[in-house]
Amino acid sequence: AESPLLNTADIQTGQAKLFAFASIGSPVADLIGALCSPMHFSIPEYEQVSDSDGASYTSYKIYVNGVFHCSTRFSELRSFYDALVEGHGARAVPAFPPKRLFGLTASQLGERRAQLELFVQQVSQDPALGGRFQTFLQGAQKASRGLRPEPVELQIGLMTGKRCCLSVLNTDRTDDVLEAFAKTAGLSERFAYYFGLFLVATGASGQPAVLRRLQDFELPCVSLAAAQQEAESARLVVRKAFWDSLLENELYDEPAALRLLYAQACADLDNGWILPSREQADRLADYRQSRSRRDFLRLARTCRFYGFLPFPDCFADWPTPDTPAVVWIGNKELVVRPQSARTEGVFRVVRMRRWRLSTPSAPGATAPNSRGDSVPCHELSFEYLVAPDSLKWFRINTHQAVLLSLCLQSVVDEVVMKKAGGQIRTPADRDRGRDPADLNDFVDRQRPFTRRVGGAEDHQSLAQRLAHWSAADSAAGAAATVADNDSFVHAIGDDDL
């Protein structure tokens, strides 16, 4: 089924990407966060436009994580392809649709759109080419908006509603803005990337909703303006960019970082995103009144759903099909809480063999969002190890399936990064003068974990343990582009079973 957001039937997700390739103690592990962020790319639509000379051409719209990012022409993508071939060789670059001497019919334009979309997706998933593709996207976003560098005042807020004003350029990237915020907030440079920029909007109920996290190649000024066209209340907010609450210990001796963590925890508690017991709630109120930030945070970390992100308005097939539920993700878990029951289903990330993102089987299926609108309802499904010798598919339908998938991917990345001995990158790791793809040759030599989607390589020990998989369960994902979860093999142990 087609939707206004994503025109592809399935989008590859679930890869641990380069984190899985960094060896323990490898120097590339510290830089790995800069090279790979979980993203979904699509070209769902195109349109005929005219240039300044009145000549007509086809403009293809590239969406990132389900949101419009930029428009580009076939010739621009062709020039990008030629540059990749020149730098990497034709055999290392995905196939590109051929040029045509004559005008294209409607069906041929649709075919070209699909071919360009496949090219974009394959390039974005290749660690050798991904850095150059991000550079292309950044330039395309500037060109789409006709931007020239100009100083602007950009409002950056916290979940509590407090804001500060940054003097930046309208062409600054996400990392540029994060570093400017860190300087304004008095945050040590080495902790700047422990936090991220998020787009947040307020629903009709007054509750905030996280729309998405900005990627490094994005221009926050442009992304914010685009988001405000869809939701007037959209704003840029700083939140912590990691899931493991143990990482907070490194931040407690940093006054600015402590204030940011405390503000987020207070806002999440007020919004019902943290569910303390009655006794915990009373103690948190006392710590809050006395401004005992460390004590507040240490207690908050023991509360249910601390550090989780909620997804309301979901429909899950647990415990029964099409159960209205709120889905929570965090702490290496995905939790399904039915709206009409006090029970919950807890799914551990390390027991998810793979997952996929696709459109629902019913054409035009919709679900209400927090504002009461009917929006396209996509499906996130995952194959779960329910017993030592049994796998089962579970499905969640929600208009936030893309964001849910991205969060799940980032949890996986963090699990594998921790196992590989990696660290959260710092501004000092950021090489502003070199294409991140230049590190690829070194990365290729540091791949102790190997798992290629659709390839012949396999993890024999786990395959033997699960030798009698249900053919029906395996067929459930056969038509989809399915990617494996490296943490399933590299982080799972007998205790998890």
Side-chain angles (χ1 to χ4, degrees), residues 2 6 28 85 113 149 154 194 228 304 312 377 394 405 437 458:
E2 294 186 357
L6 300 174
V28 78
V85 170
R113 180 209 61 78
L154 183 63
Y194 279 66
Q228 289 175 337
R304 188 62 172 135
C377 183
F394 291 89
S405 174
D458 199 8

Side-chain angles (χ1 to χ4, degrees), residues 21 45 74 145 159 188 212 236 242 245 293 315 351 397 432 488 492:
F21 305 145
E45 56 186 344
F74 176 85
R145 306 282 176 171
M159 292 298 293
S188 172
R212 62 189 180 92
L236 286 174
F242 55 88
S245 59
R293 293 190 177 102
F315 297 89
R351 297 179 69 169
N397 286 74
R432 293 163 172 82
F488 179 75
I492 198 169

Side-chain angles (χ1 to χ4, degrees), residues 40-92:
H40 303 285
F41 296 94
S42 63
I43 303 179
E45 56 186 344
Y46 57 87
E47 62 179 349
Q48 299 297 323
V49 297
S50 300
D51 60 21
S52 56
D53 297 327
S56 177
Y57 67 92
T58 303
S59 176
Y60 296 91
K61 297 186 177 182
I62 297 179
Y63 280 60
V64 181
N65 301 340
V67 179
F68 173 74
H69 178 74
C70 64
S71 296
T72 187
R73 303 173 63 163
F74 176 85
S75 59
E76 293 168 343
L77 283 169
R78 177 72 196 197
S79 296
F80 171 63
Y81 166 78
D82 291 339
L84 291 180
V85 170
E86 182 178 354
H88 299 269
R91 297 182 63 181

Side-chain angles (χ1 to χ4, degrees), residues 275 304-305 314 316 318-319 323-328 335-345:
L275 303 181
R304 188 62 172 135
F305 295 131
C314 294
W318 186 94
T323 299
V326 177
V327 173
W328 303 72
V335 181
V336 177
R337 289 173 63 94
Q339 295 178 357
S340 59
R342 295 184 178 180
T343 59
E344 62 182 32

Side-chain angles (χ1 to χ4, degrees), residues 353-354 356 383 391 393 469-479 482:
R353 177 174 176 259
R354 54 183 179 174
R356 64 172 183 256
E383 193 175 24
L391 289 160
W393 281 95
W469 288 342
S470 164
D473 285 344
S474 298
V482 180

Side-chain angles (χ1 to χ4, degrees), residues 341-421:
R342 295 184 178 180
T343 59
E344 62 182 32
V346 178
F347 300 90
R348 300 189 62 188
V349 169
V350 294
R351 297 179 69 169
M352 295 180 184
R353 177 174 176 259
R354 54 183 179 174
W355 72 87
R356 64 172 183 256
L357 180 66
S358 61
T359 55
S361 57
T366 62
N369 64 8
S370 58
R371 297 176 308 209
D373 303 322
S374 290
V375 297
C377 183
H378 290 77
E379 178 186 280
L380 176 75
S381 53
F382 56 90
E383 193 175 24
Y384 193 74
L385 189 66
V386 295
D389 59 353
S390 178
L391 289 160
K392 180 180 178 180
W393 281 95
F394 291 89
R395 295 169 177 81
I396 299 171
N397 286 74
T398 170
H399 70 288
Q400 290 185 300
V402 172
L403 178 59
L404 181 59
S405 174
L406 293 172
C407 290
L408 187 59
Q409 175 62 63
S410 61
V411 171
V412 169
D413 287 344
E414 195 166 288
V415 169
V416 181
M417 179 190 70
K418 188 174 181 179
K419 182 178 178 64

